[in-house]
Amino acid sequence: MPVEFLGIAATNDGSETTPRSGAAFDKEYTLRLARAHEDHDWDRVLFAYGSGSPDPAPAAAYIASRLDRLQILLAHRPNVSYPTFAAKTFATLDQISEGRLTVHFITGGNDHEQGREGDTLTKDERYARTREYIRVVKKIWTTHEPFDHEGEHYRFHDFVSDVFPVQQPRPGVSFGGSSAAAYAAGGAEADIYCLWGEPLAKTAEQIERVKAAAKAAGRTDVPRIQVAFRPIIAPTEELAWEKAHRTVGAIKARKERGEAITKRHNGLDQPQNTGSQRLIAIAEAGERYDRALWTPTAAATGGAGNSNALVGTPETVAQALLDYYDLGVDILSARGYDLLGDAIDFGRHVIPIVREEVAKRDAERAARGAQALTAVNG
């Protein structure tokens, strides 16, 4: 199966290791970073969402209108708009991008962050709302006659959109999470299920949970699996590990100076979301796993989001990514700490290795299938 690479569409140059040098929305940097991804063979970039951050939808439209190939993964929280409005926004963006949009629906794992924009539902209530929201958006994308909706969280009458996506029957739906409620919601509704990078054995367990949830929802297919990492690469193993330790040192130094390195936990001592709790537990159990997984980056940020690293030469990191591909992961998300420089280096030195090896695996699989068919047919 083909492999895809997801990068980050940051609107400024800040990261956990370095404060941003300018405004929250740096128009020139946003385009420069996205263009670097397109020029170095990445497939898509994520426009993330934060309560006080620049609105990702117009930022995505800005990039889509200026680049030709790069696909867009737009993060969206259902609490910030009504699904009728959101569906039109997404359809318009799919038109602007000429069919390059996927929408990543975020339920929200932190009560404080959700409350910043007026969301007072409990976590389980949020997941129920997200499932209803996704179903409404899908129906709006694909229904050309007015319809009514009477749900638990949304009610409207005689609605039909006048703008529809380029993609048929609709754009893709992306979803993530590591709780039972997340597996149930994403297993039922998602085309792509997103996981944070964990050891291979734990990732395999999560994939099985997603598959089981899809089956329980009555699906005959399963979501594609995406896994996210923070690659730290260098020409030699020694240099890569030196770079890794410098990275953690920079994160800790910023924390010691009282700087906000991430907005995800909002000053809380312990994260509320299951995914971050898992990352912390994995880091407490050990620093190194499998071929190249390294957890001190996650520990230093309190398990904030995509924070486990893959450390080594491009060849080592590529082989580590292929280990996940062999588990059934076909979308590989990667984001460095020097957003622009690392996107270029990863595109130049890691992506070609992975694509070449995946092509070999696919060719070998096809050859074995042809041999088996020949043997059956005599």
Side-chain angles (χ1 to χ4, degrees):
M1 59 184 173
V3 65
E4 296 182 7
F5 289 91
L6 169 70
I8 190 69
T11 58
N12 61 71
D13 60 358
S15 76
E16 296 93 330
T17 60
T18 310
R20 71 178 191 237
S21 62
F25 181 57
D26 182 332
K27 184 177 176 181
E28 287 71 25
Y29 183 84
T30 301
L31 179 57
R32 185 181 178 193
L33 179 61
R35 182 167 284 134
H37 282 86
E38 180 164 275
D39 290 346
H40 292 87
D41 203 27
W42 296 76
D43 295 282
R44 59 169 61 90
V45 288
L46 167 66
F47 284 83
Y49 189 92
S51 60
S53 301
D55 187 349
Y62 168 64
I63 293 303
S65 66
R66 284 159 177 79
L67 299 180
D68 299 321
R69 181 187 61 82
L70 195 65
Q71 298 176 53
I72 293 164
L73 178 60
L74 178 71
H76 179 77
R77 286 183 185 166
N79 63 291
V80 299
S81 70
Y82 217 70
T84 50
F85 176 84
K88 293 185 296 180
T89 299
F90 304 147
T92 303
L93 183 52
D94 200 52
Q95 290 283 343
I96 292 170
S97 67
E98 298 180 328
R100 287 179 279 150
L101 176 69
T102 300
V103 182
H104 180 67
F105 290 91
I106 302 174
T107 298
N110 183 285
D111 293 342
H112 183 76
E113 169 68 4
Q114 295 299 123
R116 284 174 160 168
E117 293 188 284
D119 189 2
T120 59
L121 297 186
T122 66
K123 184 176 179 180
D124 286 345
E125 289 171 337
R126 291 198 297 266
Y127 274 108
R129 178 183 61 192
T130 299
R131 292 182 72 165
E132 183 179 344
Y133 195 98
I134 293 173
R135 289 169 180 166
V136 170
V137 168
K138 286 179 177 178
K139 187 169 183 179
I140 292 170
W141 280 342
T142 56
T143 302
H144 293 258
E145 299 295 331
F147 69 96
D148 300 340
H149 178 79
E150 294 282 346
E152 180 181 357
H153 297 278
Y154 303 103
R155 295 181 180 181
F156 55 85
H157 304 283
D158 198 39
F159 180 82
V160 63
S161 178
D162 196 32
V163 57
F164 291 90
V166 171
Q167 297 177 77
Q168 294 299 315
R170 57 172 177 78
V173 167
S174 172
F175 190 89
S178 298
S179 67
Y183 296 135
E189 300 297 337
D191 302 301
I192 298 170
Y193 200 98
C194 307
L195 303 170
W196 289 332
E198 295 186 1
L200 289 164
K202 290 187 176 296
T203 300
E205 291 171 1
Q206 290 207 81
I207 292 173
E208 290 307 311
R209 293 286 300 274
V210 173
K211 289 179 178 179
K215 183 177 180 180
R219 292 177 61 169
T220 56
D221 63 337
V222 295
R224 298 173 66 194
I225 302 296
Q226 172 185 303
V227 177
F229 303 97
R230 305 300 292 271
I232 301 175
I233 62 172
T236 68
E237 296 292 329
E238 182 180 7
L239 289 173
W241 285 104
E242 289 177 1
K243 182 178 177 181
H245 288 289
R246 285 198 308 272
T247 298
V248 169
I251 295 171
K252 291 180 177 179
R254 291 195 66 199
K255 290 180 67 177
E256 290 170 359
R257 293 193 296 267
E259 298 178 22
I261 61 170
T262 175
K263 298 179 181 179
R264 183 174 293 275
H265 295 155
N266 309 291
L268 300 177
D269 291 333
Q270 295 295 327
Q272 294 178 322
N273 61 305
T274 304
S276 291
Q277 293 169 2
R278 288 174 64 99
L279 295 185
I280 291 173
I282 291 167
E284 289 175 345
E287 288 193 357
R288 296 181 65 169
Y289 293 86
D290 305 318
R291 193 187 299 268
L293 191 72
W294 195 55
T295 65
T297 46
T301 60
N306 172 21
S307 51
N308 269 338
L310 292 176
V311 182
T313 63
E315 292 77 12
T316 295
V317 170
Q319 290 302 320
L321 291 169
L322 287 162
D323 291 338
Y324 288 89
Y325 175 83
D326 290 338
L327 285 182
V329 176
D330 65 338
I331 303 176
L332 301 169
S333 174
R335 171 165 56 101
Y337 292 92
D338 170 10
L339 300 180
L340 180 60
D342 288 345
I344 293 170
D345 287 345
F346 189 89
R348 284 176 174 169
H349 304 298
V350 178
I351 289 178
I353 297 174
V354 176
R355 291 200 192 280
E356 181 179 356
E357 289 300 318
V358 166
K360 289 180 181 178
R361 282 165 164 75
D362 289 347
E364 291 169 356
R365 188 178 300 111
R368 289 195 297 270
Q371 291 174 356
L373 184 62
T374 300
V376 170
N377 294 332

